[in-house]
């Protein structure tokens, strides 16, 4: 059951967890709007990792994502594990997600990361589908983009990060809002200092159902106020990072 990613459920697997559903629904009813407004406040455009079905069920959010200049990236058609799918099932899910995201946002997804990472087939299927520019599937292994050979050609990977992730506030062992603020700030300070010699990329992963809550939104706002004071810091959508990398460091 999907709610167990953020909180334990006392209900049997064959029963609906209405409390868990309500927890998730907060993100689409309230949290997403708070975060959209927060990004507007700081003039930041970001990447929204979204499933096709979620956008079909919430067309108002879908249109706002692109309407406010953010990037819609693919997270599957439903929030299910692609690594357990066979090749044909995964191919169908990718195609359905592309179609749904294009119809609801007006833009096709150019980046991809399914729930809990990819299968051994994912990157080949993305190339086969066509139109994708990058993925961040199961890449937690670098602070900068890199290339991997797929179907004999260089394929761009824009890595993700699990440590600078607001799930810490709900999944145990990570504390609350102040802890998340410290993780963001300490990570930023370290990477900014290292960036004097070699540029670094920092991923901040926010969930509408988590950072869309008042206290968490407060510390995200506080961090953005802190980080935007520094010179030579670029707040970018992942597609913008991908295009920059392709232009300046083309794969061979």
């Amino acid at each position: 059951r999907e709610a167990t990613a953020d909180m334990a459920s006392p209900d049997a697997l064959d029963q609906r967890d209405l409390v868990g559903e309500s927890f998730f629904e907060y993100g689409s009813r309230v949290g997403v709007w708070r975060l959209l407004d927060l990004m507007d406040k700081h003039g930041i455009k970001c990447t929204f990792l979204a499933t096709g079905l979620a956008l079909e069920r919430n067309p108002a959010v879908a249109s706002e994502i692109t309407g406010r200049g953010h990037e819609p990236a693919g997270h599957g058609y439903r929030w299910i594990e692609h690594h357990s799918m066979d090749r044909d099932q995964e191919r169908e899910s990718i195609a359905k997600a592309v179609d749904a995201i294009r119809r609801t946002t007006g833009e096709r997804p150019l980046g991809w990361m399914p729930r809990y990472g990819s299968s051994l087939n994912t990157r080949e299927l993305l190339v086969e589908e066509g139109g994708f520019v990058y993925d961040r599937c199961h890449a937690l292994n670098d602070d900068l983009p890199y290339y991997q050979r797929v179907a004999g050609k260089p394929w761009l990977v824009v890595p993700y990060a699990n440590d600078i992730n607001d799930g810490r506030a709900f999944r145990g062992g990570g504390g609350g809002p102040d802890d998340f603020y410290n993780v963001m700030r300490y990570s930023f300070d370290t990477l900014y200092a290292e960036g004097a010699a070699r540029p670094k990329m920092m991923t901040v992963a926010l969930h509408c159902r988590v950072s869309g809550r008042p206290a968490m939104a407060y510390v995200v706002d506080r961090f953005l106020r802190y980080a935007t004071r520094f010179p030579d810091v670029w707040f970018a959508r992942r597609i913008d990072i991908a295009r920059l990398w392709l232009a300046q460091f083309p794969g061979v």
Side-chain angles (χ1 to χ4, degrees):
R1 78 142 40 56
E2 294 175 350
T4 56
D6 290 300
M7 51 191 268
S9 172
D11 298 317
L13 291 177
D14 61 350
Q15 294 179 330
R16 287 181 61 182
D17 179 356
L18 298 181
V19 172
E21 290 179 22
S22 181
F23 170 62
F24 272 65
E25 189 181 0
Y26 185 91
S28 60
R29 290 172 64 94
V30 182
V32 66
W33 302 108
R34 183 171 284 130
L35 291 181
L36 281 166
D37 290 344
L38 186 56
M39 295 303 118
D40 284 350
K41 174 182 176 180
H42 292 279
I44 291 172
K45 309 302 180 186
C46 61
T47 295
F48 274 78
L49 201 60
T51 65
L53 181 59
L55 296 179
E56 287 177 337
R57 292 180 173 180
N58 200 336
V61 168
S63 62
E64 283 294 305
I65 289 173
T66 49
R68 300 199 195 194
H70 304 295
E71 173 198 4
H75 203 31
Y77 180 69
R78 295 181 61 230
W79 197 53
I80 55 179
E81 293 89 342
H82 278 226
H83 59 78
S84 62
M85 295 180 181
D86 63 35
R87 192 180 185 95
D88 289 339
Q89 290 173 326
E90 188 173 14
R91 179 186 291 110
E92 179 183 5
S93 178
I94 291 171
K96 287 181 67 176
V98 169
D99 177 66
I101 294 171
R102 182 193 288 117
R103 283 188 289 103
T104 55
T105 69
E107 296 181 13
R108 70 145 290 149
L110 302 176
W112 186 260
M113 189 185 88
R115 183 187 185 195
Y116 294 151
S118 63
S119 74
L120 296 176
N121 300 315
T122 301
R123 285 181 173 143
E124 290 183 359
L125 291 173
L126 295 178
V127 171
E128 179 185 306
E129 172 71 24
F132 285 99
V133 175
Y134 72 94
D135 78 56
R136 51 175 176 167
C137 287
H138 47 259
L140 305 173
N141 53 354
D142 212 316
D143 291 325
L144 289 172
Y146 63 89
Y147 293 97
Q148 184 164 328
R149 304 294 291 183
V150 178
K153 298 180 180 180
W155 174 256
L156 183 62
V157 178
V158 181
Y160 189 59
N162 276 342
D163 56 331
I164 317 171
N165 188 308
D166 63 7
R168 299 168 56 89
F170 277 85
R171 292 172 186 161
D178 288 336
D179 172 81
F180 187 51
Y181 173 78
N182 287 334
V183 170
M184 289 189 289
R185 178 166 176 173
Y186 298 161
S187 298
F188 176 86
D189 288 347
T190 299
L191 293 171
Y192 188 83
E194 292 177 355
R198 177 179 297 178
K200 298 288 184 176
M201 181 183 73
M202 175 176 164
T203 296
V204 178
L206 307 177
H207 297 80
C208 298
R209 63 187 181 274
V210 180
S211 285
R213 293 277 176 176
M216 289 293 288
Y218 177 87
V219 298
V220 173
D221 183 27
R222 180 184 173 196
F223 169 73
L224 293 178
R225 283 187 277 115
Y226 173 75
T228 52
R229 299 202 309 263
F230 288 76
D232 300 321
V233 175
W234 182 34
F235 294 86
R237 305 176 306 171
R238 298 186 82 84
I239 185 58
D240 299 321
I241 296 171
R243 286 170 173 158
L244 175 72
W245 204 264
L246 287 165
Q248 295 193 6
F249 309 101
V252 295

